[in-house]
């Protein structure tokens, strides 16, 4: 008898009919004999509805009271889903985050789970019940209600699985798994059967935002086997995200990620003195702008260097403004900026033991006349920044050249 | 510095605008320097909305899950009201029933409060905050969410006042106090400044259902001064419900209550043997029918007796059917039934020390040619059952004769 934690998102429980459909799925699953803990989100639209009411009342809604307000969303879902299960003759019981002591820190609106009391859940499972737990919510040490922030239901499910030492944590969503690349760009993209936590974290930006990054980090930390599957089809197999050592056939390249939200900023001809990286990036980070890739290169002219980095496209003009000031202060030649770039990344744990992947990637892009503007590498990822117009071409040619469409 | 518990019902917090209006009242009150604990209901309509969804899902909704579902209603209100207070610059904090350990028995849907942990509330009051507590809800010893049943918010407020040893519990509603009789029947009805718990309990049926009976019982038990006042007017004084010993000027008659929901059933000519009352009423109570007045009288024929009682009009035909069977079993002459009767009651603690009130009442009714069908008396109440058509006449003539329109 296995213990499975399942998570259904807001869309899956967005109406009475959908709650009833989810109940049917759960009942069928529970009849196979496994123990089931189900974590659910608020019905889709509910969180937005409550947020709008709060905004009518308070200019900057209190984070503590927002958490009291928003957690009613999942509380409604757990009771309705439990009723729907009981109606089908499947014994079920609901618990709020407070009732199973999903203890978090006190960071309202973005709390982090510290522990879960598994005692009650095990008792209810032992009594033959399906246990329905409110996702997204917890309580701090003093009993104040907290939320994990948007998408936190994934994290709740993984944390439940970790606390209960579940055999698998299944995240039901509207996609049927993790693909080798965004299928909207490359129709030959293939659903992976397994992928490692590390790769999944690097690929988090892959097209459809399949999983919250934090839930993958959590799963990785506690070695929770995590499966993403579709709630729209019968008997889905999805993609299993697990430890590297559990993956038998390690592909050299697992997938190709891309990010369209990048913008590039360069400071050209900076006098090369110690501390220039710090002097350039400090005002940027002080403006709460997150920097992604950073590349420092030697300039053609002696004693001068070029410094480039990427930011989210939303922060582009603000960052550019700041950089213009920095340019004067550092006596640099010029600021070059380009918000028409994308980042394409090759991801694969096999890279660790295979040299020459980067060279091969650059060659493929060169053959397609794709000019590489920035390069950044990690142990299991190679990212390049290229002109936005080459995005599809780059993804498709890399996908084909590395034969990602084949098992 | 006094400690006041206030309660606002669902209509008072039925929209964003009304929540803002209540917040203004609370702020003005708190600026007078008193400590304030506010108990609120769900926004009007919300409980019905949730109940309807549950009924769509489960034929007979689980009582436990209904409580999980319905308690979200007040949880929404407490957070929104706290936000509205904060927006006005009035520091406030919300607590669910679970958070202040409003501990109840486990009777889901109609739980009774056993204790309240006043520790947190006192701490928040000490920190200068208005404390907003969800009405209607609690948790049982095992932490399961419970509700006190409809109207339970009044009881929560009184229980909070008792636990906190508050100076007064104020129930804000849409009437401005307790009247000597139903003003819709007698326009000269006068708002009372004070009334005793005992009288209030006897008068609970007075026209507008001002207070939940349970909350008055609770207030009486714990000697909580309870004030009913209007949330629609400024600086209301309302009616104070308190212990008899706190009432200086004890009126002989405080008010005239009436009840239109009565129906009368009589068993005529029952052979007078021991145990007939039991034999008649047992099948009635087994059918979950509550009996109000009971009168047993000697019949004109020797050895026979007449037995009459009243039930709620909704139970009339069911009770009549049962009584027909009882009639045969007891070899009685006949069943007489009349669902066109009303009950009119004189209530006053002064009756204890004044003889002759009953005689006076019967005389007044006789003068108006109102025929009395049943009489029942308690220490502080005299009730008569009369033909429904005489209701207004009886109430008005008694109100005038006992000079209830005068202080």
């Amino acid at each position: 008898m296995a213990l499975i934690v399942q998570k259904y998102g807001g869309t899956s429980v967005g109406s009475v009919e959908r709650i009833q459909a989810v109940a049917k799925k759960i009942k069928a699953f529970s009849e196979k004999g496994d123990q089931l803990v189900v974590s659910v989100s608020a019905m889709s639209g509910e969180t937005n509805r409550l947020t709008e009411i709060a905004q009518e009342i308070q200019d900057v809604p209190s984070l503590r009271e927002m958490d009291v307000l928003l957690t009613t969303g999942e509380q409604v879902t757990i009771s309705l889903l439990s009723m729907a299960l009981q109606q089908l003759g499947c014994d079920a019981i609901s618990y709020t985050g407070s009732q199973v002591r999903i203890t978090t820190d006190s960071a309202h609106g973005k709390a982090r789970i510290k522990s879960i009391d598994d005692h009650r859940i095990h008792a209810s499972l032992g009594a033959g019940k399906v246990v329905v737990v409110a996702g997204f919510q917890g309580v701090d040490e003093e009993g104040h209600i907290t939320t994990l922030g948007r998408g936190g239901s994934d994290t709740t499910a993984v944390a439940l699985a970790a606390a209960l030492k579940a055999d698998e944590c299944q995240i039901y969503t509207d996609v049927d798994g993790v693909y080798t690349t965004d299928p909207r760009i490359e129709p030959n993209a293939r659903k992976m059967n397994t992928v490692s936590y590390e790769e999944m974290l690097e690929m988090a930006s892959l097209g459809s935002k399949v999983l919250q990054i934090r839930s993958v980090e959590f799963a990785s930390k506690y070695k929770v086997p995590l499966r993403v599957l579709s709630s729209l089809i019968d008997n889905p197999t999805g993609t299993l995200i697990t430890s590297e050592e559990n993956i038998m056939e390690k592909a050299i390249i697992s997938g190709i990620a891309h990010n369209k939200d990048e913008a590039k900023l360069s400071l050209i001809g900076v006098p090369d003195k110690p501390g220039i990286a710090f002097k350039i990036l400090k005002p940027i980070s002080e403006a709460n702008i997150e920097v992604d890739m950073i590349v420092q290169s030697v300039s053609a002219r002696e004693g001068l260097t070029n410094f480039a980095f990427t930011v989210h496209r939303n922060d582009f003009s603000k960052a550019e403004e700041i950089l213009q000031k920095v340019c004067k202060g550092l006596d640099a030649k010029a600021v070059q900026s380009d918000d028409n770039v994308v980042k394409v990344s090759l991801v694969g744990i096999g890279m660790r033991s295979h040299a020459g992947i980067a060279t091969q990637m650059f060659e493929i892009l060169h053959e397609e006349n794709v000019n590489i503007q920035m390069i950044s590498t990690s142990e299991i990822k190679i990212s390049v920044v290229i002109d936005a117009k080459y995005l599809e071409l780059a993804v498709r040619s890399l996908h084909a050249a590395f034969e990602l469409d084949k098992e």
Side-chain angles (χ1 to χ4, degrees), chain A:
Chain A
M1 189 172 62
L3 198 170
I4 308 291
V5 174
Q6 297 190 332
K7 181 255 170 177
Y8 294 90
T11 313
S12 303
V13 293
S15 67
V16 166
E17 292 70 31
R18 288 189 183 177
I19 288 172
Q20 289 166 327
V22 164
K24 260 190 206 166
K25 273 180 193 289
I26 293 170
K27 191 200 177 201
F29 208 97
S30 112
E31 281 172 349
K32 290 182 192 158
D34 291 333
Q35 291 188 319
L36 267 188
V37 175
V38 179
S39 172
V40 285
S41 308
M43 293 168 77
S44 54
E46 183 65 3
T47 304
N48 288 336
R49 185 182 76 86
L50 293 171
T51 304
E52 279 166 22
I53 297 176
Q55 283 165 346
E56 268 186 76
I57 288 181
Q58 196 172 17
D59 296 336
V60 182
S62 147
L63 290 174
R64 181 191 185 279
E65 299 303 334
M66 275 306 283
D67 282 356
V68 175
L69 181 66
L70 295 184
T71 49
T72 61
E74 302 86 45
Q75 191 168 326
V76 166
T77 319
I78 56 170
S79 55
L80 295 181
L81 180 56
S82 298
M83 290 180 199
L85 283 164
Q86 290 169 7
Q87 177 70 14
L88 296 175
C90 178
D91 202 4
I93 188 166
S94 73
Y95 290 119
T96 63
S98 158
Q99 287 180 311
V100 289
R101 308 304 304 166
I102 299 185
T103 308
T104 69
D105 60 26
S106 301
H108 288 291
K110 51 174 184 181
R112 285 181 175 264
I113 296 176
K114 293 161 83 174
S115 65
I116 295 180
D117 178 8
D118 59 350
H119 185 259
R120 275 193 122 155
I121 300 176
H122 274 305
S124 293
L125 288 173
K129 291 176 204 286
V130 169
V131 176
V132 183
V133 178
F136 174 71
Q137 58 181 243
V139 281
D140 72 5
E141 303 277 0
E142 282 78 42
H144 297 293
I145 295 170
T146 55
T147 65
L148 311 180
R150 290 250 164 164
S153 293
D154 287 357
T155 309
T156 300
V158 175
L160 281 168
L164 297 165
K165 297 181 181 53
D167 296 282
E168 196 169 291
C169 178
Q170 302 177 340
I171 310 286
Y172 285 84
T173 173
D174 54 357
V175 298
D176 63 342
V178 183
Y179 277 72
T180 49
T181 196
D182 185 345
R184 288 169 301 183
I185 290 180
E186 171 51 87
N188 290 323
R190 184 177 48 80
K191 181 173 78 70
M192 291 183 267
N193 292 321
T194 53
V195 64
S196 71
Y197 299 122
E198 296 84 349
E199 288 167 314
M200 190 64 210
L201 285 170
E202 295 285 12
M203 291 198 287
S205 59
L206 254 186
S208 49
K209 276 159 198 152
V210 182
L211 283 172
Q212 284 298 112
I213 293 196
R214 270 173 63 189
S215 68
V216 180
E217 286 170 348
F218 213 102
S220 169
K221 186 171 171 191
Y222 294 99
K223 307 279 178 220
V224 175
L226 188 61
R227 192 180 292 274
V228 179
L229 6 69
S230 168
S231 64
L232 309 173
I233 57 175
D234 286 330
N235 303 312
T237 55
T239 298
L240 179 67
I241 304 151
T242 183
S243 298
E244 200 178 322
E245 55 266 30
N246 296 336
I247 297 177
M248 301 296 285
E249 292 278 340
K250 292 183 182 67
I252 298 172
I253 307 297
S254 290
I256 300 166
H258 67 86
N259 185 351
K260 291 181 182 175
D261 297 325
E262 303 260 328
K264 191 180 81 162
L265 291 155
S266 312
L267 203 54
I268 307 295
V270 194
D272 196 1
K273 290 177 195 157
I276 58 156
F278 167 75
K279 284 175 188 159
I280 295 168
L281 294 181
K282 195 184 172 215
I284 298 287
S285 70
E286 277 173 354
N288 269 320
I289 297 171
E290 262 187 69
V291 171
D292 179 19
M293 284 170 73
I294 302 168
V295 174
Q296 187 174 343
S297 58
V298 177
S299 164
R301 278 183 56 186
E302 228 170 282
L304 294 181
T305 188
N306 296 335
F307 191 96
F309 58 93
T310 61
V311 297
H312 194 283
R313 221 171 268 189
N314 291 346
D315 294 326
F316 178 64
S317 47
K318 200 162 84 179
E320 193 181 19
E321 203 177 304
I322 294 167
L323 206 58
Q324 289 291 2
K325 288 182 199 153
V326 172
C327 181
K328 281 180 196 158
L330 289 181
D331 205 19
K333 296 277 175 214
V335 170
Q336 279 181 3
S337 50
D338 186 355
D339 66 346
N340 202 26
V341 295
V342 292
K343 183 171 76 168
V344 173
S345 309
L346 274 191
V347 177
I349 41 178
M351 280 190 210
R352 289 203 186 106
S353 47
H354 276 73
I357 299 291
T359 314
Q360 216 177 325
M361 179 187 190
F362 304 153
E363 188 183 2
I364 296 158
L365 294 175
H366 168 68
E367 277 169 9
E368 300 292 346
N369 277 320
V370 176
N371 187 38
I372 298 171
Q373 302 183 20
M374 288 171 83
I375 297 169
S376 146
T377 60
S378 79
E379 240 196 331
I380 63 165
K381 180 167 86 165
I382 308 165
S383 299
V384 296
V385 170
I386 58 176
D387 193 317
K389 69 182 174 190
Y390 294 127
L391 171 64
E392 289 78 8
L393 176 64
V395 167
R396 285 180 202 142
S397 51
L398 289 168
H399 199 268
F402 285 103
E403 300 186 329
L404 295 186
D405 51 334
K406 293 173 187 143
E407 287 269 357

